[in-house]
Amino acid sequence: HQVESLPVLIHQQYEDMEPKARKVLTTQEIYSVCRIVLTGCGDSYAAALSVKNAFASLTGMPTEAVPAVELSRTVENESFGFAPNNPLVIAVSNSGRVARMNEAVCRAHKHGAFILAVTGSRDSPFAATANRIMDLSIPSFESAPGTRSYLVSLMALLLIAIRIDEVRGRYTMDTAMNMRYDMLEQARQLEIMLPDLKKKMLALAQVWKKMEAYDFIGTGMEFGTAWYCHAKILEQLGKYTFYQNSEDWLHTNLFLRRNTETATVVFSDVRNRALGRTCELIEYAQKLKRPLLVVGDGVPDDIKVDSILTPRSQFFFNSCMTQYTPVSILANYIANLIDETDGRGCEG
């Protein structure tokens, strides 16, 4: 139901967040940025991983995604305050009440970083530490593992990245608007594709319901999607799961023993510059007789494999908004078939 609600949610959130993204940072603040750090926990960290490359490409600035626990505990003090109000730390927490996130932004702020909090809780301690706040307002909905909140986090971050590039003059205003409208196009396409996605994922769930483990592979932007999807398998099915990029998979994950019992999902867009290595991975997975699904259009015609398309974005970085949806649907169907409850019912 959360996935089915995403087309409407994209439109609602665009109307709410697009004006906010234009005003959340002043022109002077945008021009003062030298480096960007994205941080979060759980799904928020997955969102940071998914948009990291988009920030670097759009803004032309070094950008990294850092887990909140590292920002709060292990990153050296010298990483902060090397220039006035730097780096720009964009911290994502819908609830605003995650202890490690609060600790991370407090430490970064103390040592001279400029904090932009992306949160649905303006009155939280997390938001109180921030220099600027990007308010999230997600309409209430029936509970499920983080699908709607994840989408909103992605949209908020992408809108901020587009605004920074627009102000700094790296792209024309018309191009920036096309990037924004491309988000709405994702909603239109997803609404059309959902019936077929559901049908195919239900059929796959019948085959994959007894799988021992699930393996997700994505490279570059798609690594964030792989991270997010592995988390949904744990939250919804409580089964073994892995996430990896294509290069490291070919050095490590191919050594798993029970290949025929390890469902393998590869995210592969033809525009990904790591496509060649991903195609090599797909061929190796077939040789190992892995149950295999490719999400995206990045499969050469001579490779015969089950694949499924998600909405085609004009701008590659926007595709992260929807490319995880088949896995969210699949995990839901499998959970129903094996009679599992979200979060294993917090029991045992």
Side-chain angles (χ1 to χ4, degrees):
H1 294 163
Q2 285 214 13
V3 174
E4 289 171 342
S5 77
L6 295 184
V8 171
L9 184 67
I10 289 172
H11 282 278
Q12 289 175 339
Q13 292 299 301
Y14 181 86
E15 294 298 322
D16 178 60
M17 292 193 296
E18 198 274 334
K20 293 176 180 176
R22 290 179 178 272
K23 300 173 183 177
V24 70
L25 295 171
T26 67
T27 298
Q28 182 178 356
E29 289 164 350
I30 288 173
Y31 269 101
S32 71
V33 178
C34 302
R35 185 165 65 88
I36 298 171
V37 174
L38 309 171
T39 190
C41 286
D43 291 353
S44 298
Y45 177 59
L49 288 171
S50 292
V51 303
K52 177 185 69 172
N53 289 358
F55 265 87
S57 175
L58 291 172
T59 68
M61 286 181 280
T63 304
E64 56 184 326
V66 181
V69 69
E70 293 187 17
L71 199 66
S72 66
R73 304 289 178 95
T74 66
V75 171
E76 297 298 324
N77 292 339
E78 289 74 17
S79 297
F80 310 111
F82 54 84
N85 293 326
N86 266 282
L88 169 62
V89 174
I90 305 178
V92 184
S93 174
N94 183 45
S95 71
R97 305 193 183 280
V98 178
R100 215 56 55 224
M101 286 297 294
N102 187 36
E103 185 179 320
V105 296
C106 284
R107 178 169 181 250
H109 186 267
K110 175 183 177 182
H111 291 285
F114 189 93
I115 311 297
L116 169 56
V118 180
T119 182
S121 183
R122 177 174 278 269
D123 61 349
S124 64
F126 167 75
T129 307
N131 300 89
R132 298 286 181 270
I133 300 171
M134 173 86 164
D135 287 307
L136 302 181
S137 179
I138 307 173
S140 59
F141 203 83
E142 61 188 286
S143 179
T147 308
R148 284 165 60 91
S149 56
Y150 181 63
L151 170 69
V152 174
S153 295
L154 291 170
M155 288 186 67
L157 289 169
L158 288 170
L159 286 167
I160 292 168
I162 292 168
R163 179 57 178 168
I164 291 173
D165 97 62
E166 184 179 39
V167 170
R168 292 174 73 100
R170 289 181 51 81
Y171 295 88
T172 66
M173 293 176 63
D174 286 345
T175 300
M177 284 309 305
N178 287 339
M179 293 174 182
R180 296 179 179 110
Y181 292 147
D182 190 39
M183 294 181 173
L184 302 179
E185 175 62 14
Q186 291 274 293
R188 186 190 72 83
Q189 291 187 41
L190 181 60
E191 188 169 24
I192 293 170
M193 299 173 97
L194 269 172
D196 189 55
L197 284 176
K198 290 166 60 180
K199 180 180 178 181
K200 290 180 177 178
M201 291 303 98
L202 179 57
L204 187 61
Q206 300 283 356
V207 179
W208 280 13
K209 63 184 178 182
K210 294 184 179 180
M211 290 294 163
E212 181 178 272
Y214 296 79
D215 205 359
F216 296 96
I217 304 99
T219 307
M221 181 201 73
E222 294 168 336
F223 182 71
T225 303
W227 198 107
Y228 172 82
C229 290
H230 108 280
K232 297 308 109 177
I233 293 298
L234 286 167
E235 292 171 1
Q236 291 185 270
L237 306 183
K239 295 200 174 190
Y240 292 108
T241 182
F242 317 91
Y243 64 94
Q244 194 58 278
N245 63 54
S246 56
E247 179 67 22
D248 289 335
W249 189 95
L250 285 159
H251 288 277
T252 55
N253 292 39
L254 58 76
F255 293 113
L256 285 170
R257 287 180 180 273
R258 298 185 177 181
N259 282 295
T260 59
E261 299 170 39
T262 304
T264 304
V265 179
V266 182
F267 298 97
S268 180
D269 191 295
V270 71
R271 295 166 293 182
N272 192 320
R273 285 179 285 184
L275 178 63
R277 195 57 165 152
T278 299
C279 290
E280 291 177 43
L281 179 155
I282 291 169
E283 292 185 275
Y284 271 98
Q286 289 181 313
K287 289 178 181 178
L288 293 167
K289 302 188 185 307
R290 288 282 192 100
L292 185 63
L293 173 70
V294 176
V295 179
D297 59 358
V299 183
D301 293 337
D302 60 338
I303 298 179
K304 303 304 178 185
V305 62
D306 287 337
S307 62
I308 190 165
L309 298 179
T310 51
R312 173 75 175 184
S313 60
Q314 179 184 353
F315 298 91
F316 178 41
F317 56 79
N318 276 337
S319 65
C320 67
M321 290 173 51
T322 54
Q323 67 178 177
Y324 58 89
T325 52
V327 175
S328 291
I329 296 169
L330 175 67
N332 175 79
Y333 283 143
I334 293 175
N336 289 341
L337 290 169
I338 66 174
D339 197 28
E340 186 59 85
T341 57
D342 294 343
R344 301 192 61 236
C346 294
E347 296 179 355

